[in-house]
Amino acid sequence: MKNQDLVDFLRSCGVCEVCQLRYLKARGSEYKDINETLRNLDIKVNETVENGYSSTPPDDQPAKKQRLTICSTCLGLFSEDFQKDLLAGILNSDFGKYDCQTIVLAISLPMILQLRQLAMWYALQRKFGPIIDANNPPDVPIKEAVKLILHPIICEKLGKEYDPNGLMISVDLRHKLEEEEVDKLVKLNKEAFPYKAAHQKRIEISRGLLEKQYQPAKVKADTFEKYFQIPSPTVEEPLELKTIELQGPLVCVAGRYRKVNREISHTPWVLNGQRVMEDSIEEIIIRNVGAHFTEKPEKIIFMSSGREDVDVRCLGKGRPFVLEIPNSIRSSLTKEQAHKMEKAVDESGKVSIVNLQVVAREELSHIKTGEEQKKKFYRALCALKEPVTVEILEKLQISKSFDIQQKTPIRVLHRRPLHTRPRTIYSVRARVQRGNPQALIVDIVTQAGTYIKELVHGEFGRTTPSLSSIIGKAMDIQALDVVGIDLEWPPEVDNSLSSLNT
Ligand SMILES: [Zn+2]
C-alpha cells in the first residue's frame, strides 16, 4: 500500500488533511505544517482541499477559506472553525477569573467519533486487504491527536503553558447524530455480543467498551454494516461545544506558624454544637490567606506537622503548616502579597506566620509522613511544693535518652483508645526560675506523640518513669511551650518589605 494510494482513498471518503496525517501515523510536530509533511511523505498536495488545518492561517484569505465539507472521520474536530469556536467558548467562560499560568484540556468526545474511526478501519481493510491489521487501529487515535494538535494550539492562543496540574478546561462536545447512532449501536451490540447481552440486565455502552470490544477482529464488518455505513457518509453538521467547565488547580500554600496565645485552639473547637472558643489557628490563617486563592475558603484543608493543646504556645521557628486549596483561581503568590498576609495574621495577636509560600503538591509528604519519627522540643514551667535543691536539679540534667511507658492520659480517653505506648525522651535540662525557688524551667526533647504534661507529673503512675518519679517529689506543670519542631520545611523565605527593596 503506497502512501499516495492511502491518501487518495481517504480524500475520496471526505477525510480532512489532519486525519490523513493521522492515518499516515504522523507524530508530534509533523502536524504543524501539514503540506510540508505531506510533501516529505511524497504525497501530492491537494490544493483544492480547504477543510484542513494549519497552525498559522494567512490573514489575507478571507471569504475563500470557508468550510466546504466536514471531515467524515473527525467531524470537524481538527478544523480551524472548531479551533475558533473552542477558543471563543473558553474566553466566554469564567476563564478570565483564573490567574493561572498553566492549563490542561480535557475534551470529552461523543461516541459517534469512535464509530466513525471504526467504519474507516473496515473500509481500509476492504480496500487494502490484510495489510490493515484487525487488532491495531490504522490511525493515531483521536484522543492522542487532540493532545498533539489541539493542545499546543489552544495553549499558544491563550498564552498559557501545558501542565497536567494546571487549570483544567473540561470541554463536552455533542453532535446532532449522536443519539441516533448510539441507538443503532445498542442494537448492534445485542447482535455482536449476544451472550453478554442475554446475561446483563442493562448494557451500558461506554467509550471504554467501544475501544476494547469494537475492532474488526471482534466484530465482523458485515454485522457492523447492518447498522452503519462503511465508510461513514458525509455529514451536514460539525461537532458542537456542549459545555465548557473550569476547574482551577489544587494549590498548596505552606508556612510556619507560631502560637503566641494560651487561649486559642488549633482547629474550630465545637462541643455539643456550641463553640467553646470563638476562633482558631486554622480559621485565622485561612481567613487571611484564602481569599487570594479562592471564593470558597470553606473548601480549604488546613494541615500541620502535629499540633499543640489549647493552653500550649508554639514558639521558636514555629510549626510547619500547609493549606490545600482546591479549584484555586490563582496559583502564585508574590512576596509582597505574602508579606501582607503574614502581617494580617500577626495582627490577630494570637498567631503569627512566616515563610508563607506556594509549594508543589508533592511536598505535602513532608507534613503527612514520618510524624512518629520526629523529635519535639518543649519548654515546661514546673512547680514543686518545696524549694528546688541541688540534688533535684542534678537529677533533671539528663543527656542520655531513655524510654518511658505512657498510658493514654485520662483527659484524652474520650477520643483516644486506651493503650500503653513506649516513648523515647532524648534529653531533659532543668534550671530554677529566677525569683521563684519552687519553680523549674525544664527543656525537654521527646519523640513525637509524647504527652508532656503527664511526663512531668506522672498522672498517678500512668506514665513511668516521669520527671516527678525521677526526683521522688510531687511536681506539677504550670505552662508549656513548644520551642522547636524537627522539620526543616518549608524552606525559609523572607517576605518582608526590606527584602523586596534589595
Ligand atoms: Zn478529520
Side-chain angles (χ1 to χ4, degrees):
M1 176 182 66
K2 280 191 196 146
N3 283 343
Q4 185 68 56
D5 294 341
L6 173 64
V7 169
D8 286 343
F9 177 69
L10 292 170
R11 282 174 183 166
S12 75
C13 299
V15 173
C16 76
E17 286 183 304
V18 173
C19 289
Q20 290 167 27
L21 288 188
R22 288 198 301 113
Y23 282 93
L24 291 163
K25 297 267 186 181
R27 309 302 313 171
S29 59
E30 292 179 317
Y31 292 94
K32 276 207 165 147
D33 188 336
I34 291 178
N35 284 351
E36 191 186 314
T37 305
L38 289 175
R39 261 182 245 114
N40 288 344
L41 290 166
D42 276 334
I43 311 274
K44 275 184 232 131
V45 176
N46 189 346
E47 300 296 344
T48 61
V49 173
E50 296 278 6
N51 61 346
Y53 125 100
S54 86
S55 58
T56 47
D59 293 333
D60 54 347
Q61 288 192 12
K64 205 184 101 192
K65 194 136 189 156
Q66 290 226 323
R67 179 161 48 218
L68 298 180
T69 51
I70 292 155
C71 170
S72 63
T73 54
C74 73
L75 300 174
L77 182 65
F78 298 116
S79 68
E80 281 176 25
D81 288 314
F82 180 77
Q83 285 165 32
K84 275 182 207 151
D85 289 351
L86 178 56
L87 204 63
I90 293 172
L91 292 173
N92 277 332
S93 70
D94 278 342
F95 183 73
K97 215 170 74 182
Y98 289 84
D99 182 16
C100 298
Q101 276 320 297
T102 56
I103 59 165
V104 56
L105 270 184
I107 299 189
S108 133
L109 304 165
M111 285 200 264
I112 185 173
L113 276 175
Q114 267 172 293
L115 287 166
R116 289 189 161 242
Q117 310 317 300
L118 185 59
M120 182 51 74
W121 195 345
Y122 289 122
L124 290 170
Q125 277 196 319
R126 282 186 180 169
K127 172 83 184 167
F128 298 105
I131 195 168
I132 303 292
D133 193 332
N135 290 297
N136 295 303
D139 55 333
V140 172
I142 292 211
K143 248 199 261 168
E144 222 179 301
V146 164
K147 274 193 206 138
L148 293 173
I149 301 162
L150 273 177
H151 250 126
I153 290 177
I154 297 299
C155 282
E156 195 193 320
K157 298 242 161 106
L158 293 173
K160 305 285 178 189
E161 269 171 43
Y162 169 78
D163 179 354
N165 292 326
L167 168 64
M168 187 187 280
I169 305 175
S170 299
V171 182
D172 209 356
L173 300 180
R174 67 166 161 225
H175 192 270
K176 210 181 154 193
L177 297 176
E178 172 82 352
E179 217 172 299
E180 203 178 294
E181 302 265 289
V182 170
D183 282 348
K184 285 195 239 169
L185 177 60
V186 171
K187 287 179 192 143
L188 166 63
N189 199 60
K190 276 187 193 147
E191 186 174 343
F193 303 101
Y195 176 81
K196 281 189 186 165
H199 286 78
Q200 281 173 316
K201 277 186 191 137
R202 226 176 98 241
I203 302 162
E204 242 358 292
I205 297 193
S206 65
R207 296 178 179 93
L209 177 94
L210 254 182
E211 224 162 88
K212 267 208 316 246
Q213 296 290 343
Y214 283 77
Q215 301 172 350
K218 292 177 180 162
V219 178
K220 285 201 173 70
D222 293 344
T223 315
F224 182 82
E225 207 173 20
K226 286 188 200 164
Y227 303 93
F228 299 98
Q229 249 176 272
I230 299 176
S232 301
T234 53
V235 291
E236 301 282 316
E237 295 87 6
L239 287 173
E240 284 170 41
L241 297 176
K242 190 169 155 199
T243 54
I244 293 183
E245 276 170 25
L246 303 175
Q247 170 86 34
L250 181 90
V251 170
C252 299
V253 180
R256 295 182 90 103
Y257 76 76
R258 289 161 32 106
K259 179 176 181 294
V260 294
N261 186 288
R262 294 195 193 279
E263 279 166 20
I264 184 149
S265 58
H266 187 79
T267 47
W269 186 1
V270 180
L271 206 64
N272 302 325
Q274 298 274 318
R275 288 208 65 137
V276 179
M277 274 178 187
E278 67 180 54
D279 219 343
S280 66
I281 293 174
E282 171 181 314
E283 287 162 290
I284 292 172
I285 295 177
I286 289 178
R287 194 185 305 141
N288 290 290
V289 177
H292 174 76
F293 293 98
T294 176
E295 289 169 353
K296 291 187 175 155
E298 67 275 12
K299 302 269 185 202
I300 297 178
I301 296 171
F302 173 76
M303 287 174 282
S304 61
S305 175
R307 58 197 298 163
E308 55 288 300
D309 289 339
V310 169
D311 57 350
V312 174
R313 294 184 304 180
C314 178
L315 307 174
K317 284 161 117 186
R319 188 183 293 278
F321 71 89
V322 67
L323 301 177
E324 219 180 35
I325 308 168
N327 192 11
S328 184
I329 51 173
R330 243 174 234 109
S331 50
S332 63
L333 181 65
T334 65
K335 283 193 165 203
E336 209 171 344
Q337 290 161 335
H339 180 69
K340 268 190 194 153
M341 293 172 185
E342 291 179 354
K343 252 181 82 185
V345 171
D346 286 358
E347 275 162 20
S348 72
K350 294 172 177 165
V351 194
S352 75
I353 56 172
V354 288
N355 296 342
L356 198 66
Q357 59 194 287
V358 170
V359 296
R361 195 193 289 191
E362 299 77 48
E363 294 199 40
L364 255 60
S365 58
H366 289 294
I367 279 207
K368 286 182 173 170
T369 59
E371 187 56 33
E372 289 285 291
Q373 280 76 49
K374 282 171 195 153
K375 285 183 184 173
K376 303 274 158 154
F377 302 81
Y378 296 96
R379 176 162 291 175
L381 176 62
C382 304
L384 276 77
K385 293 200 165 77
E386 56 204 86
V388 179
T389 61
V390 173
E391 198 190 346
I392 289 173
L393 262 186
E394 276 174 355
K395 282 183 178 162
L396 291 179
Q397 311 300 326
I398 307 168
S399 51
K400 222 176 121 209
S401 65
F402 62 99
D403 285 349
I404 60 165
Q405 298 294 325
Q406 190 158 57
K407 279 200 177 115
T408 309
I410 293 161
R411 65 187 165 97
V412 297
L413 268 180
H414 64 283
R415 54 188 167 94
R416 297 273 157 81
L418 174 62
H419 283 307
T420 301
R421 298 177 189 80
R423 291 285 184 247
T424 301
I425 312 303
Y426 297 103
S427 70
V428 176
R429 254 181 49 223
R431 60 186 157 89
V432 181
Q433 190 191 29
R434 198 175 295 171
N436 187 352
Q438 288 186 211
L440 280 171
I441 293 169
V442 191
D443 287 321
I444 312 165
V445 182
T446 71
Q447 181 187 354
T450 308
Y451 294 102
I452 302 301
K453 292 168 186 171
E454 287 70 20
L455 168 67
V456 170
H457 57 61
E459 200 184 26
F460 319 109
R462 293 170 64 86
T463 291
T464 52
S466 65
L467 300 191
S468 172
S469 75
I470 286 170
I471 61 171
K473 311 262 181 206
M475 181 156 70
D476 203 5
I477 185 162
Q478 294 198 321
L480 182 64
D481 290 334
V482 175
V483 289
I485 285 143
D486 183 21
L487 175 59
E488 292 298 320
W489 182 89
E492 281 186 29
V493 288
D494 186 1
N495 291 323
S496 67
L497 292 173
S498 59
S499 78
L500 294 173
N501 297 331
T502 54

PDB file of all heavy atoms in Angstrom, residues 220-231:
ATOM      1  N   LYS A 220     -17.534  -8.520  13.084  1.00  0.00           N
ATOM      2  CA  LYS A 220     -17.394  -8.663  11.626  1.00  0.00           C
ATOM      3  C   LYS A 220     -17.926  -7.426  10.904  1.00  0.00           C
ATOM      4  O   LYS A 220     -18.934  -6.838  11.316  1.00  0.00           O
ATOM      5  CB  LYS A 220     -18.180  -9.887  11.150  1.00  0.00           C
ATOM      6  CG  LYS A 220     -17.493 -11.191  11.481  1.00  0.00           C
ATOM      7  CD  LYS A 220     -18.034 -12.303  10.536  1.00  0.00           C
ATOM      8  CE  LYS A 220     -17.250 -13.588  10.700  1.00  0.00           C
ATOM      9  NZ  LYS A 220     -17.516 -14.244  12.015  1.00  0.00           N
ATOM     10  N   ALA A 221     -17.280  -7.102   9.798  1.00  0.00           N
ATOM     11  CA  ALA A 221     -17.698  -5.940   9.013  1.00  0.00           C
ATOM     12  C   ALA A 221     -19.153  -6.069   8.579  1.00  0.00           C
ATOM     13  O   ALA A 221     -19.912  -5.099   8.620  1.00  0.00           O
ATOM     14  CB  ALA A 221     -16.783  -5.783   7.801  1.00  0.00           C
ATOM     15  N   ASP A 222     -19.556  -7.282   8.205  1.00  0.00           N
ATOM     16  CA  ASP A 222     -20.934  -7.469   7.717  1.00  0.00           C
ATOM     17  C   ASP A 222     -21.958  -7.156   8.813  1.00  0.00           C
ATOM     18  O   ASP A 222     -23.019  -6.601   8.544  1.00  0.00           O
ATOM     19  CB  ASP A 222     -21.137  -8.914   7.243  1.00  0.00           C
ATOM     20  CG  ASP A 222     -20.293  -9.200   6.002  1.00  0.00           C
ATOM     21  OD1 ASP A 222     -19.830  -8.188   5.384  1.00  0.00           O
ATOM     22  OD2 ASP A 222     -20.081 -10.376   5.668  1.00  0.00           O
ATOM     23  N   THR A 223     -21.624  -7.563  10.041  1.00  0.00           N
ATOM     24  CA  THR A 223     -22.526  -7.264  11.156  1.00  0.00           C
ATOM     25  C   THR A 223     -22.607  -5.767  11.374  1.00  0.00           C
ATOM     26  O   THR A 223     -23.681  -5.197  11.529  1.00  0.00           O
ATOM     27  CB  THR A 223     -22.007  -7.951  12.454  1.00  0.00           C
ATOM     28  OG1 THR A 223     -21.634  -9.282  12.147  1.00  0.00           O
ATOM     29  CG2 THR A 223     -23.046  -7.930  13.543  1.00  0.00           C
ATOM     30  N   PHE A 224     -21.448  -5.141  11.396  1.00  0.00           N
ATOM     31  CA  PHE A 224     -21.381  -3.689  11.589  1.00  0.00           C
ATOM     32  C   PHE A 224     -22.201  -2.974  10.520  1.00  0.00           C
ATOM     33  O   PHE A 224     -22.933  -2.031  10.790  1.00  0.00           O
ATOM     34  CB  PHE A 224     -19.915  -3.239  11.549  1.00  0.00           C
ATOM     35  CG  PHE A 224     -19.701  -1.766  11.794  1.00  0.00           C
ATOM     36  CD1 PHE A 224     -19.663  -1.246  13.090  1.00  0.00           C
ATOM     37  CD2 PHE A 224     -19.532  -0.876  10.728  1.00  0.00           C
ATOM     38  CE1 PHE A 224     -19.463   0.113  13.309  1.00  0.00           C
ATOM     39  CE2 PHE A 224     -19.329   0.486  10.947  1.00  0.00           C
ATOM     40  CZ  PHE A 224     -19.293   0.975  12.244  1.00  0.00           C
ATOM     41  N   GLU A 225     -22.083  -3.488   9.298  1.00  0.00           N
ATOM     42  CA  GLU A 225     -22.689  -2.792   8.159  1.00  0.00           C
ATOM     43  C   GLU A 225     -24.218  -2.851   8.166  1.00  0.00           C
ATOM     44  O   GLU A 225     -24.870  -2.062   7.500  1.00  0.00           O
ATOM     45  CB  GLU A 225     -22.141  -3.365   6.845  1.00  0.00           C
ATOM     46  CG  GLU A 225     -22.172  -2.346   5.726  1.00  0.00           C
ATOM     47  CD  GLU A 225     -21.474  -2.837   4.471  1.00  0.00           C
ATOM     48  OE1 GLU A 225     -21.296  -4.064   4.329  1.00  0.00           O
ATOM     49  OE2 GLU A 225     -21.112  -1.983   3.641  1.00  0.00           O
ATOM     50  N   LYS A 226     -24.770  -3.811   8.944  1.00  0.00           N
ATOM     51  CA  LYS A 226     -26.224  -3.846   9.034  1.00  0.00           C
ATOM     52  C   LYS A 226     -26.763  -2.565   9.683  1.00  0.00           C
ATOM     53  O   LYS A 226     -27.927  -2.220   9.525  1.00  0.00           O
ATOM     54  CB  LYS A 226     -26.676  -5.039   9.879  1.00  0.00           C
ATOM     55  CG  LYS A 226     -26.542  -6.364   9.152  1.00  0.00           C
ATOM     56  CD  LYS A 226     -27.192  -7.453   9.995  1.00  0.00           C
ATOM     57  CE  LYS A 226     -26.670  -8.814   9.583  1.00  0.00           C
ATOM     58  NZ  LYS A 226     -26.975  -9.836  10.603  1.00  0.00           N
ATOM     59  N   TYR A 227     -25.933  -1.929  10.479  1.00  0.00           N
ATOM     60  CA  TYR A 227     -26.382  -0.749  11.229  1.00  0.00           C
ATOM     61  C   TYR A 227     -25.704   0.548  10.798  1.00  0.00           C
ATOM     62  O   TYR A 227     -26.265   1.624  10.946  1.00  0.00           O
ATOM     63  CB  TYR A 227     -26.156  -0.980  12.732  1.00  0.00           C
ATOM     64  CG  TYR A 227     -26.857  -2.224  13.226  1.00  0.00           C
ATOM     65  CD1 TYR A 227     -26.196  -3.452  13.272  1.00  0.00           C
ATOM     66  CD2 TYR A 227     -28.197  -2.165  13.607  1.00  0.00           C
ATOM     67  CE1 TYR A 227     -26.851  -4.596  13.693  1.00  0.00           C
ATOM     68  CE2 TYR A 227     -28.859  -3.310  14.028  1.00  0.00           C
ATOM     69  CZ  TYR A 227     -28.180  -4.534  14.068  1.00  0.00           C
ATOM     70  OH  TYR A 227     -28.833  -5.652  14.478  1.00  0.00           O
ATOM     71  N   PHE A 228     -24.472   0.406  10.305  1.00  0.00           N
ATOM     72  CA  PHE A 228     -23.711   1.618   9.950  1.00  0.00           C
ATOM     73  C   PHE A 228     -23.115   1.464   8.557  1.00  0.00           C
ATOM     74  O   PHE A 228     -22.799   0.360   8.125  1.00  0.00           O
ATOM     75  CB  PHE A 228     -22.570   1.857  10.948  1.00  0.00           C
ATOM     76  CG  PHE A 228     -23.031   2.070  12.360  1.00  0.00           C
ATOM     77  CD1 PHE A 228     -23.022   1.019  13.272  1.00  0.00           C
ATOM     78  CD2 PHE A 228     -23.481   3.314  12.784  1.00  0.00           C
ATOM     79  CE1 PHE A 228     -23.448   1.193  14.574  1.00  0.00           C
ATOM     80  CE2 PHE A 228     -23.908   3.502  14.084  1.00  0.00           C
ATOM     81  CZ  PHE A 228     -23.903   2.445  14.990  1.00  0.00           C
ATOM     82  N   GLN A 229     -22.931   2.618   7.897  1.00  0.00           N
ATOM     83  CA  GLN A 229     -22.346   2.591   6.560  1.00  0.00           C
ATOM     84  C   GLN A 229     -20.830   2.433   6.626  1.00  0.00           C
ATOM     85  O   GLN A 229     -20.184   2.940   7.534  1.00  0.00           O
ATOM     86  CB  GLN A 229     -22.667   3.918   5.864  1.00  0.00           C
ATOM     87  CG  GLN A 229     -23.647   3.775   4.718  1.00  0.00           C
ATOM     88  CD  GLN A 229     -23.995   5.137   4.138  1.00  0.00           C
ATOM     89  OE1 GLN A 229     -24.911   5.780   4.617  1.00  0.00           O
ATOM     90  NE2 GLN A 229     -23.259   5.574   3.144  1.00  0.00           N
ATOM     91  N   ILE A 230     -20.256   1.734   5.645  1.00  0.00           N
ATOM     92  CA  ILE A 230     -18.799   1.621   5.515  1.00  0.00           C
ATOM     93  C   ILE A 230     -18.412   2.138   4.132  1.00  0.00           C
ATOM     94  O   ILE A 230     -18.877   1.555   3.143  1.00  0.00           O
ATOM     95  CB  ILE A 230     -18.317   0.170   5.651  1.00  0.00           C
ATOM     96  CG1 ILE A 230     -18.674  -0.415   7.031  1.00  0.00           C
ATOM     97  CG2 ILE A 230     -16.814   0.077   5.404  1.00  0.00           C
ATOM     98  CD1 ILE A 230     -18.313  -1.877   7.191  1.00  0.00           C
ATOM     99  N   PRO A 231     -17.598   3.155   4.003  1.00  0.00           N
ATOM    100  CA  PRO A 231     -17.193   4.090   5.065  1.00  0.00           C
ATOM    101  C   PRO A 231     -18.347   5.002   5.449  1.00  0.00           C
ATOM    102  O   PRO A 231     -19.382   4.992   4.805  1.00  0.00           O
ATOM    103  CB  PRO A 231     -16.067   4.894   4.384  1.00  0.00           C
ATOM    104  CG  PRO A 231     -16.411   4.881   2.927  1.00  0.00           C
ATOM    105  CD  PRO A 231     -17.055   3.535   2.678  1.00  0.00           C
TER     106      PRO A 231
END
